[in-house]
Amino acid sequence: MAQVSLRNVWKTFPGNVTAVRDVSLGVENREFVVLVGPSGCGKSTTLRMIAGLEDITKGDIYIGDKLVNNVPPKDRNIAMVFQNYALYPHMTVYENMAFALRLRRYSRHEIDTRVRDTADILSIKKHLNKRPKALSGGERQRVAVGRAIVRKPLVFLFDEPLSNLDANLRVQMRTEINKLHTRLQTTMIYVTHDQVEAMTMGNRIAVMKDGIIQQVADPISLYDKPVNKFVAGFIGSPPMNFMNGIVVKKDDKFFFNEGNFMVKIADEMREKLLPYCDKEVVFGIRPEDVFDKLFVQYASADNTISADCEVVEPMGAEVFLYLNTGKHSFIARVEGHNKPAVNHELEVVFDMTKAHFFDPKAEHTIA
């Protein structure tokens, strides 16, 4: 079994710089887990500690039932795919893929079988006699993945493997890696700063900030139920809109008062917001939950506001509207036929059943 377990893992570099703080994470056998977060959040350092390329300051890492804190990388039965491919330029594709097997003294027949079977899976059979410089970026990345597959490791580790590829190739390769996971049924841990990659690839996602795991959940739960403002703002493209304001009570109804507008809070959120009555909160709403009033049937005075439309950004099937209330800027993500006039006032409707509220200081989710 290829479970990976991190238990209260810390990493502190010289100069008392702490990159990873008390990280605990369990990855189940055959699971695809993505570590995501901004640059410098500790995700790659965490991956390198699992691989044995960085020493652990405190805590324990298990692969299967084996404690691997002091086990060298070559004995951990893992394979790692790097951002820069790390291919030997003087070797052919075949030789690059066969190299690790030769070091482990596999028979010539076993090496040939594994390399050709893997090349067939990755559609790179025709490139086996080429050197890396003759390949495109996507083809080199396939070779790097193939070099990992031939070893049949317990765990695959990916450190931002698609960062050097153009947008179209990134989409293609993440689909290929997804299909690979389904086919191989192997445990995979994948690091990226791209939340779109994380959302489309992982069975579960661990969001990191400042060396701390903020939340671990499946993609939909992470999107719909973020535990704090950071996760809510990091996951989603365009990101969630945030506005500061006051919770007010009128005639047994609760409203969010931004200063220039007021909208009714959904009844199911009232109990959780009761302690914040007459206090400041952060209101969050995703761009796709903001609509042009002209195209909404359920608009009412309780969920409609006026805002200046500053920019209209056509994206094909959808349009991004950049709006301003006078106090806050926010984005609406609407259907492609919505094309309001720029520099004119626009009435927009909030789907308040999809609203989020956060504590302004601790930034944890209230409702």
Side-chain angles (χ1 to χ4, degrees):
M1 300 293 280
Q3 300 102 325
V4 178
S5 178
L6 285 73
R7 304 178 186 178
N8 307 109
V9 172
W10 290 70
K11 177 62 182 180
T12 303
F13 289 103
N16 202 29
V17 177
T18 301
V20 176
R21 302 169 184 268
D22 200 22
V23 164
S24 293
L25 177 67
V27 181
E28 296 300 321
N29 186 45
R30 301 180 180 180
E31 191 176 21
F32 194 142
V33 169
V34 179
L35 303 181
V36 66
S39 297
C41 72
K43 56 190 184 296
S44 288
T45 302
T46 301
L47 196 76
R48 290 174 64 83
M49 287 192 288
I50 297 170
L53 302 176
E54 291 284 357
D55 293 331
I56 302 166
T57 305
K58 282 194 293 185
D60 294 316
I61 294 179
Y62 288 82
I63 296 178
D65 296 326
K66 184 178 181 181
L67 179 66
V68 297
N69 288 23
N70 299 312
V71 176
K74 66 183 179 65
D75 297 326
R76 295 194 181 194
N77 201 5
I78 54 95
M80 192 158 177
V81 179
F82 296 92
Q83 178 180 344
N84 61 359
Y85 320 131
L87 301 176
Y88 297 109
H90 62 288
M91 293 183 181
T92 64
V93 168
Y94 185 102
E95 291 165 341
N96 265 284
M97 293 172 65
F99 185 71
L101 301 180
R102 285 176 176 154
L103 287 180
R104 287 166 175 74
R105 301 186 181 281
Y106 282 86
S107 70
R108 184 176 296 179
H109 174 74
E110 177 72 7
I111 292 171
D112 190 66
T113 300
R114 287 198 187 190
V115 169
R116 294 189 183 280
D117 285 351
T118 301
D120 194 40
I121 291 171
L122 295 170
S123 302
I124 53 173
K125 226 170 187 177
K126 62 183 178 182
H127 302 307
L128 286 176
N129 293 321
K130 296 179 182 177
R131 287 188 167 81
K133 67 179 180 181
L135 305 177
S136 68
E139 289 163 349
R140 291 180 196 180
Q141 195 55 272
R142 286 171 188 266
V143 176
V145 172
R147 188 175 54 185
I149 292 173
V150 294
R151 292 176 50 193
K152 297 183 179 178
L154 286 175
V155 182
F156 285 93
L157 306 178
F158 294 87
D159 189 9
E160 306 217 33
L162 310 184
S163 294
N164 291 339
L165 305 180
D166 63 41
N168 286 337
L169 265 179
R170 279 203 303 274
V171 173
Q172 182 184 341
M173 280 303 297
R174 76 181 186 223
T175 303
E176 292 298 322
I177 292 172
N178 263 329
K179 290 196 296 189
L180 201 60
H181 177 250
T182 302
R183 181 166 182 171
L184 299 178
Q185 290 293 293
T186 309
T187 306
M188 292 185 175
I189 304 174
Y190 188 104
V191 160
T192 181
H193 65 273
D194 185 337
Q195 55 91 20
V196 175
E197 268 183 38
M199 291 289 286
T200 54
M201 297 180 76
N203 301 134
R204 285 190 302 147
I205 301 169
V207 182
M208 294 188 70
K209 177 192 177 190
D210 299 332
I212 300 169
I213 290 182
Q214 304 290 309
Q215 185 174 0
V216 183
D218 64 273
I220 298 304
S221 297
L222 206 63
Y223 192 79
D224 289 342
K225 298 178 181 179
V227 297
N228 58 35
K229 184 183 172 186
F230 173 79
V231 175
F234 190 82
I235 298 296
S237 180
M240 184 181 287
N241 300 301
F242 297 110
M243 305 179 199
N244 289 66
I246 306 292
V247 175
V248 296
K249 185 178 179 183
K250 283 187 175 183
D251 301 327
D252 205 35
K253 295 179 181 179
F254 282 67
F255 293 83
F256 170 74
N257 186 351
E258 184 254 10
N260 288 339
F261 72 82
M262 195 157 64
V263 286
K264 181 179 174 292
I265 295 168
D267 290 341
E268 59 267 26
M269 299 183 187
R270 290 192 309 175
E271 187 176 338
K272 291 181 179 178
L273 285 164
L274 186 59
Y276 289 85
C277 197
D278 297 322
K279 295 180 182 177
E280 186 178 355
V281 294
V282 178
F283 166 68
I285 192 157
R286 294 202 180 276
E288 61 268 30
D289 298 322
V290 183
F291 306 91
D292 185 336
K293 185 184 176 184
L294 288 174
F295 300 91
V296 175
Q297 293 181 342
Y298 58 81
S300 73
D302 285 345
N303 64 2
T304 302
I305 75 163
S306 294
D308 291 328
C309 182
E310 298 181 327
V311 176
V312 175
E313 197 171 72
M315 304 294 288
E318 57 193 10
V319 175
F320 294 168
L321 310 180
Y322 291 79
L323 306 163
N324 195 304
T325 68
K327 289 187 69 175
H328 295 98
S329 295
F330 66 104
I331 302 173
R333 181 179 180 175
V334 298
E335 293 184 15
H337 55 256
N338 289 204
K339 293 179 182 176
V342 176
N343 294 327
H344 283 72
E345 192 173 77
L346 177 69
E347 287 191 305
V348 294
V349 177
F350 292 156
D351 183 348
M352 293 301 292
T353 63
K354 303 286 184 64
H356 300 254
F357 293 92
F358 306 92
D359 185 284
K361 293 182 180 177
E363 296 192 346
H364 62 259
T365 299
I366 302 167

